Amino acid sequence: MKQTSFPLNYFQSMLTPKAAFYGRNQLNWFQIVIVFLFLNGLLMIPVSLSFANSKQFQLEEMMPNALQLIDNETMKSMEGVDFKNGEMQSTSKLLIEKESGVVGVNQPEKALKKEMNVVAFEKNQFILKDQSGYEFNVAYTKNFDKTASTTAKQLVNELKRMWYQQNRAFVSFTMMLMTGSILVVSNILLIGGAAIFVWLTKRNAYSSIASYRESVNFILNASGWGMLLGLMVGIVHFDLTIMLSLSSLGMVIMLTAAFVITKFKDKKCEGVS
């Protein structure tokens, strides 16, 4: 096969199953790491777009107990509590005690300190505290209007919206870091495991693959189309499980096709594309 410079040699090697096998000697370990990170970077694009377009976060997963304090009874008790331009207009104090926690209006923080689950409305901010260990002080946004929230669910959604608006950068960074870690670990296991399996075929002289580096290079070549497929589907509909499944399926199809065509044995590869 005609040799080209990196990274063009990788893109040529990923085009067809035959090219993927015959191009297994073109990358050194440093280049293999670069290609691996590049492929994972492709799958991170839908992740970034998803969090960039998200307007709300499932806060219930972090604080399942505190948000449950906002129910129909709470809404009825807070009928006279109004907000305008990011400030609470009501000056009266209110304490709604429930089995799992309390909802307070204009209550001093000391009075709520011992409670494990708290939703506290203050003049310029509200406080969320959950027995899971999380506690947040969130400033009201200028457009917060409680009168528009006629149900408990609507009020909870407004609290979640304001929380997310204030913590969006932190949430996006944390979730992208976690998702990126999942992608990297999953692909290390997938590509590394598949490479070991292919490399072991040399023991019975079944294939021409002579080293583990060649095997890893071959698997990376075969992974290109699957990663691109995962990228395109992820942009349309973000689902990490589907993206990983499609990238794995694409790799398996390329490996199978490469075996059918080449039998994992070297031949003259002039004209291979």
Side-chain angles (χ1 to χ4, degrees), residues 149-165:
S149 303
T150 57
T151 66
K153 184 177 180 181
Q154 289 175 333
L155 179 57
V156 168
N157 286 337
E158 274 294 283
L159 299 182
K160 288 164 59 179
R161 178 189 64 81
M162 290 186 286
W163 178 91
Y164 185 65
Q165 184 170 325

Side-chain angles (χ1 to χ4, degrees), residues 186-198:
S186 298
N187 284 322
I188 285 177
L189 294 175
L190 176 66
I191 293 174
I196 290 175
F197 177 77
V198 172

